[in-house]
Amino acid sequence: MNDWHSDFVTAIKEELKDEKVEIKQEEYLSKEPLRIDVIIIKKEKDVKINKRIGQIFKRYNIIEYKSPDDYVSIDDYFKGLGYVYLYKSIMNAYEKSRKEVDDIKIEELTLTFVCSNLPKKLISFLAEHKIKLDNSDNGIYYIHNEWIPVQIIVLSELENVEENYPLMVLSNNMYFKNAIEKIFTSINEAKEYDNKIRLIEAAFRIDPGIVSEVIKMYADRLNEEQMKYVINNLKEANFKIYTEEELKKSIEKGMENLVIRLLKKKFSDIPEKYIKLIEDADEKTLLQIADNIFEINKIEDLEKYIVN
């Protein structure tokens, strides 16, 4: 199922995973179906957000996201402002059980629009009405002269892959391929799998060709468990990346590199003869070597597993 808003929530969670914030999806503003896309609440109101996208953040930060085939219209802009003021007037302050008058201060609120491409009509409209814009950060447009801090994040214009890769894969960004590569090189822990896989699935809907290319290119960077996890999850999402033969070869290539890395850590230098033996070994043999790596005390011991 194509659900860009959930993909965006995944991306923003990944983007701000190291920050002290709580992220809620589709916060209802009333009993009627009136809701905002994301509300980011600082757990500690005075803590500073390190990421550039959060430089304007205060205690309560409302995010309105537009999918790749949508845009921020003039009316969307005013609706976003309306959501902020409704949130201030209706919702309880963080960790309070009931609403009190003015318990959420106007100074504690910000508004962020996130879209794939620059909303030119809106930009022109704001300029006509003397609303100042500052694009000192590539891809982030700060809007002044409003009662609250407002920014527009244009995903296709972001340039800092290291910092913004989770968001960059949701658009046709110039550095889209680099952002996908960053996802693969940052899969380190099992707890990160689900978010990373979801981002890869979302990226497929942007450019399946580039994502397939990156998966094949980085197959040898993943260990066997990671590789199988990636492929199985993407297969379940009905994305055909590999034929069965390609899948087998990719997993074997990943195992080859894993075994070579383990042996280099243990013995520093590996004669070319043994590198060749490892490259010619099948998946079962490579797995046996990896499982018994601590029992291999000299490089010649490899022959017990490889040479009949």
Side-chain angles (χ1 to χ4, degrees), residues 12 16 134 157 168 237-238 257 268:
I12 203 73
L16 298 175
D134 173 10
E157 296 183 11
M168 293 166 78
N238 297 317
N257 283 274
S268 297

Side-chain angles (χ1 to χ4, degrees), residues 263 266-267 288-302 304-305:
L263 290 170
K266 191 160 188 175
F267 300 112
Q288 283 183 325
I289 295 171
D291 286 343
N292 293 280
I293 192 68
F294 296 110
E295 297 174 19
I296 298 174
N297 298 313
K298 55 184 185 297
I299 196 67
E300 290 78 11
D301 289 345
L302 281 177
K304 298 177 185 177
Y305 304 95

Side-chain angles (χ1 to χ4, degrees), residues 167-200:
L167 294 172
M168 293 166 78
V169 301
L170 302 183
S171 76
N172 277 312
N173 187 286
M174 180 188 301
Y175 303 100
F176 178 82
K177 183 176 180 180
N178 305 83
I180 297 298
E181 292 176 4
K182 178 62 180 176
I183 290 177
F184 276 94
T185 57
S186 65
I187 297 179
N188 296 317
E189 302 176 23
K191 66 181 181 181
E192 297 180 342
Y193 283 169
D194 290 341
N195 277 356
K196 298 290 173 64
I197 295 302
R198 174 136 201 174
L199 290 177
I200 294 169

